[in-house]
Every structure is written in structure tokens, then in C-alpha cells.
Amino acid sequence: MNNDNLFDLTGKVALVTGASRGIGESVAKVLAQYGAHVIVSSRKIEACQIVVDEIINAGGSAQAIACHIGDMDQIDAIFAAITEQHGKLDILVNNAAANPYFGHIIDTDLTAFQKTVDVNIRGYFFMSTKGAKLMKDSGGGSIINVASVNGVIPGDFQGIYSITKAAVISMTQAFAKECAQFNIRVNALLPGGTDTKFASALVDNPAILKQMMHHVPMKRVAQPEEMAGTVLYLASNASSYTTGTAINVDGGYLIG
């Protein structure tokens, strides 16, 4: 292995879901910066195209394909497009997520429960099965699941979201164990509090933010781009012997 090129992704095809903003946008831009052709995906094609244009203007390679991972037909469609256009997939970053309910766990209704499970568990699962099949056919690859520290310690009033993120951690281990024989590595990123629109209900609430910071040794929330380096590591040859792990990027929250 050439240590000068540990993070080089030249020639790789990467799919990043939920990539129109926040963590997904930062990840897409970093993967492109290191040479990957990045498929930028989220529910709204117009938002994806803005990110694609920024990547191309910076000298990278990217395209936009819309996909709502809570819709099985759209999952089928995006993998059909990738197969037809590229014939392979080297990197899959499952980042799109749903958090439709914030409140006491006993007040969770069926609609919120189903939406969260459909995206965060079913969506990740079938994105991974289809991604792994493409990777198997082309000799291997890397799947990175964006979970959460809430999958380890449930967040206050984030019950069903936390439950699904715990499932993502378990899913990561299960796929890693069964897909290693195909040279497919599967790992998880566990972000702590991050300043994104998705987390605005927490970050923008002074009382909740103060309580969170009490448990964070670094005493601040993360910026989305602070998650991208860990994903780059997991996507590249730098992590060639790393699979089935969950990496905390949380300012020390889980030890705080």
C-alpha cells in the first residue's frame, strides 16, 4: 500500500444520501475533493443540483439523482440508474434520516413511528443490500452508515429516533460480518450534537443546548464539515482493516 495515497478515491463511484445539506453535503464535497465521482442524493433534485454545481465548480466530479429512501420504488430506481450509468458502486454513505417526532416517548403516534422506521431502518437496510450487491460484483467497497450517539445513549424526547439509530449500529455490525467475504467493509459514524437544520430543534433551544453541553467535554456543538474527515477515512484505503466499528465524533459526549 502506498502511504502517499491512503485517502485517494480517484476512479471511485460514491453515493451519498441526504446530501443536499448538513453532514451529507460536507461528506459529498470531501469525497469529491479526494477524487471520487459523487452521486448527490436527497428527496429534492433541485437542492442536490446546487451541491453538484458547487463540487464541479471546485474541480470535482458529481451528479444529482433524487431519492427518498423511505420509498422502496425510489431505492430501486436509483440503483437501476447507477448500474446503467456506472456499472458499479464503490462507496455508499447512508446519511438521509427522519426525525419527525420530538416529545415524550409515550406520546409517539403510529405515523411518526412508521415514518422514522421506514427511513432510518428499512431505508438504510435496503440501500445497503442493493449497494452491497453492486460492490460484490465489482470486487468490494465501503458502506458508511451515519447513526448517532443517541443510538448508544437515547436522547431526551427523541425516543423512536434513538431506537432506530441503535438499530443502525446493530445493522452495521451484521452487514460487516456477512459482507467481509466480499471485500465489503461496513462501518458507522456516530455524530454528536451538530449544527444542522436537522438538529435545529436541539441546537437552537438554549435550555436544551445548555443541558447537552454539560455532557460534552469540548463544550460546543460540531460543524457539519467536522464529520466528513471520519467518513473519508472509512471510505478510503486508510481504513482497509476496519469493519464493523462505530466511531464517535461527539466532542467527548459518550465519555462525558
Side-chain angles (χ1 to χ4, degrees):
M1 184 181 296
N2 185 341
N3 289 332
D4 292 336
N5 297 309
L6 279 177
F7 298 99
D8 184 16
L9 301 178
T10 302
K12 304 293 187 183
V13 176
L15 168 60
V16 183
T17 67
S20 63
R21 64 190 187 196
I23 292 172
E25 177 184 356
S26 294
V27 167
K29 289 178 176 177
V30 166
L31 296 182
Q33 180 183 344
Y34 280 81
H37 174 78
V38 180
I39 299 163
V40 176
S41 183
S42 74
R43 290 177 297 170
K44 298 179 180 179
I45 192 70
E46 297 84 4
C48 293
Q49 191 60 50
I50 291 171
V51 177
V52 167
D53 291 344
E54 291 175 351
I55 289 172
I56 292 173
N57 289 337
S61 176
Q63 69 183 107
I65 304 179
C67 180
H68 178 11
I69 70 166
D71 184 325
M72 291 297 295
D73 289 340
Q74 292 192 41
I75 292 176
D76 289 340
I78 193 170
F79 279 99
I82 292 169
T83 301
E84 179 182 356
Q85 295 174 29
H86 301 286
K88 69 167 187 171
L89 182 68
D90 302 294
I91 300 160
L92 169 62
V93 182
N94 285 313
N95 171 69
N99 188 19
Y101 175 71
F102 182 80
H104 199 286
I105 193 169
I106 66 174
D107 295 323
T108 309
D109 63 26
L110 179 59
T111 299
F113 176 93
Q114 196 65 58
K115 179 179 180 181
T116 313
V117 169
D118 285 353
V119 173
N120 295 5
I121 300 179
R122 191 185 71 184
Y124 274 43
F125 184 88
F126 286 102
M127 290 291 291
S128 296
T129 61
K130 291 181 179 296
K133 287 175 182 176
L134 262 182
M135 292 175 184
K136 176 186 174 184
D137 291 342
S138 58
S142 176
I143 298 174
I144 300 107
N145 294 318
V146 179
S148 171
V149 292
N150 288 1
V152 179
I153 300 176
D156 293 337
F157 302 114
Q158 300 168 72
I160 185 57
Y161 174 80
S162 299
I163 289 166
T164 61
K165 289 303 186 177
V168 169
I169 296 170
S170 179
M171 185 191 308
T172 298
Q173 296 169 341
F175 272 86
K177 182 174 286 189
E178 296 196 36
C179 293
Q181 62 180 310
F182 306 131
N183 194 33
I184 299 169
R185 298 181 297 102
V186 188
N187 295 285
L189 169 74
L190 274 57
T194 307
D195 190 7
T196 65
K197 184 176 179 180
F198 184 84
S200 60
L202 305 177
V203 175
D204 294 343
N205 185 311
I208 294 175
L209 183 61
K210 182 178 179 181
Q211 183 180 1
M212 285 173 55
M213 291 304 99
H214 179 70
H215 299 284
V216 178
M218 292 183 72
K219 301 302 179 187
R220 66 177 179 85
V221 297
Q223 295 303 307
E225 54 268 24
E226 292 184 284
M227 302 296 146
T230 300
V231 176
L232 173 63
Y233 163 71
L234 293 172
S236 70
N237 283 334
S239 61
S240 59
Y241 198 59
T242 303
T243 197
T245 193
I247 300 180
N248 313 327
V249 184
D250 63 357
Y253 172 78
L254 290 179
I255 60 169

